[in-house]
Amino acid sequence: MITFISYIQQYVSISDEIKKEISDLILIENISKGDILLEEGKICKRIYFIEKGTLRTYFYQKGKDITYWIYPDNSMVTSWHSYLSCKPSSEYIQATEDSIVCSLTYTQWQELYTKYPILERFGRLILEEVIALIDDFYKGYYFMSSKEKYELLVSVFPDITQRANLGHIASMIGISQETLSRIRSN
Amino acid sequence: MITFISYIQQYVSISDEIKKEISDLILIENISKGDILLEEGKICKRIYFIEKGTLRTYFYQKGKDITYWIYPDNSMVTSWHSYLSCKPSSEYIQATEDSIVCSLTYTQWQELYTKYPILERFGRLILEEVIALIDDFYKGYYFMSSKEKYELLVSVFPDITQRANLGHIASMIGISQETLSRIRSN
DNA sequence: TCAACTCTTTGATCTAAGTCAAAAAATATA
DNA sequence: TATATTTTTTGACTTAGATCAAAGAGTTGA
């Protein structure tokens, strides 16, 4: 299990003073499978680091539960639009396994960025990584068959099948669960 | 027309020293409609700010020209995955109108970030904006009809129809140009 | 260990949107 | 102004994948 402090150190090297300050501010939560960290309509004030477990973001569209993305341990999760704009979220964040998550608020981060420019660099690097991943993943996505989309997902996220159920995976790549079931049994 | 310096100042306030340094480093190019700024297979070393005109990113998939996104003036463009990882790009960047673009290289930005933390903040803010936009735009995209996708695009990019042709717009939202033509004439 | 759920598979049918092809309109070129 | 080239529209046909429905597996908990 990687702690949030050591995760930061994979990107930038930070002083003991910074480590202490982050440790003092950080909120560590043990949550159970099914627990909701963020509800639709609420402002997402926090960005979460998953030390253990899995989270998913999802929303309701035309009455259906649609998984937006699934996040394994050792990754950061928030409702980006809500977190960055301080507007109500249109999505939920839920634990899909018993999990341990660490978080800081948007406000705390702004203060840390100003006080320690090295953390601003960490922030930039994390965002760069997210964008590079999105940019790469979705290239040509529209014109792939359902099978190609599924194979792409499995290639970037090999243990997805152990961590999420059929319905979640299907909606995450934009296909019906019946189609995904047929792809698997091909 | 907004210059790149004044664009930066919309996000952070910068000293005359920084302005001078950026002005000295910046490459300003006048390019014609159809000109290619980046080719597939080349490493994208620059990030472009469009002072005037329009650029599009595109790639070939199964022999077809697919527009990834279209960028109007006053926005920043790069092939994110290639630029950030220094790996060959899988896409092209092309001017779709006569344009004026300013750019700095990845290496120049790294030096500027280290020398002036305020620019690192600018970098972070730009990336946050990109992510918030992507996050908001694509929510529920998979389960929209072609008409809904087109209406969403027009709502965030009202003058798209004046700046790009039918085929570019259709592939940008993942539909065939015949379908888009039918939507318009509904 | 047997109900009561929940999740996954399978089959039959339907439909939105893709493909192919050709005409029409718009734009550029000479 | 006629001609070539590109872009858009329209029509006929096809198809991948959605939807609906029901059966089968797998889990959970009293």
Side-chain angles (χ1 to χ4, degrees), chain A residues 127-141 144 152, chain B residues 38 44 57 59 68-69 71 78-85 88-91 130-131 134 138:
Chain A
L127 294 169
E128 284 183 353
E129 202 171 86
V130 170
I131 289 183
L133 208 92
I134 293 174
D135 185 51
D136 197 41
F137 189 83
Y138 289 106
K139 178 117 354 105
Y141 205 75
M144 288 178 190
L152 176 64
Chain B
L38 172 71
C44 182
T57 50
F59 56 94
Y68 200 20
W69 198 253
Y71 300 82
T78 191
S79 175
W80 286 107
H81 186 77
S82 173
Y83 173 79
L84 295 172
S85 68
S89 171
S90 53
E91 67 194 356
V130 171
I131 289 183
I134 293 174
Y138 289 106

Side-chain angles (χ1 to χ4, degrees), chain A residues 3-140:
Chain A
T3 64
F4 185 49
I5 297 287
S6 58
Y7 177 74
I8 295 174
Q9 286 183 302
Q10 291 177 352
Y11 294 86
V12 292
S13 67
I14 50 174
S15 65
D16 289 346
E17 185 198 344
I18 300 181
K19 286 182 204 168
K20 168 104 179 47
E21 184 144 352
I22 292 177
S23 302
D24 288 347
L25 291 171
I26 210 157
L27 173 70
I28 302 177
E29 294 169 275
N30 272 275
I31 53 175
S32 305
K33 180 175 178 177
D35 283 0
I36 305 279
L37 282 169
L38 172 72
E39 280 180 57
E40 187 195 347
K42 301 270 172 72
I43 293 166
C44 183
K45 295 193 194 305
R46 295 184 168 270
I47 186 156
Y48 299 91
F49 173 76
I50 310 172
E51 284 199 350
K52 181 173 159 288
T54 315
L55 303 186
R56 74 169 179 128
T57 51
Y58 70 102
F59 55 94
Y60 289 96
Q61 184 177 40
K62 298 166 187 171
K64 280 189 185 165
D65 171 329
I66 311 289
T67 297
Y68 200 21
W69 199 252
I70 289 166
Y71 300 82
D73 51 83
N74 202 21
S75 57
M76 297 193 70
V77 187
T78 191
S79 174
W80 286 107
H81 186 76
S82 173
Y83 173 79
L84 295 172
S85 67
C86 290
K87 287 182 183 157
S89 172
S90 53
E91 68 195 355
Y92 295 78
I93 301 177
Q94 181 189 43
T96 56
E97 293 176 351
D98 292 347
S99 306
I100 302 171
V101 298
C102 304
S103 63
L104 291 172
T105 65
Y106 179 81
T107 317
Q108 287 170 334
W109 274 115
Q110 303 318 304
E111 284 163 11
L112 288 168
Y113 287 153
T114 300
K115 201 161 167 191
Y116 307 110
I118 194 71
L119 290 180
E120 187 124 47
R121 168 157 303 180
F122 168 71
R124 175 178 62 84
L125 293 171
I126 288 296
L127 294 169
E128 284 183 353
E129 202 171 86
V130 170
I131 289 183
L133 208 92
I134 293 174
D135 185 51
D136 197 41
F137 189 83
Y138 289 106
K139 178 117 354 105

Side-chain angles (χ1 to χ4, degrees), chain B residues 31-92:
Chain B
I31 52 175
S32 306
K33 181 176 176 173
D35 283 0
I36 305 279
L37 281 169
L38 172 71
E39 280 181 57
E40 187 195 346
K42 300 272 171 71
I43 293 166
C44 182
K45 295 192 193 306
R46 294 184 169 270
I47 186 156
Y48 299 92
F49 173 76
I50 310 173
E51 284 201 348
K52 182 174 158 288
T54 316
L55 303 186
R56 73 167 179 129
T57 50
Y58 69 101
F59 56 94
Y60 289 95
Q61 184 177 39
K62 298 166 187 174
K64 280 188 185 167
D65 171 329
I66 310 288
T67 297
Y68 200 20
W69 198 253
I70 290 166
Y71 300 82
D73 51 83
N74 202 23
S75 57
M76 297 192 69
V77 187
T78 191
S79 175
W80 286 107
H81 186 77
S82 173
Y83 173 79
L84 295 172
S85 68
C86 292
K87 287 182 183 159
S89 171
S90 53
E91 67 194 356
Y92 295 78

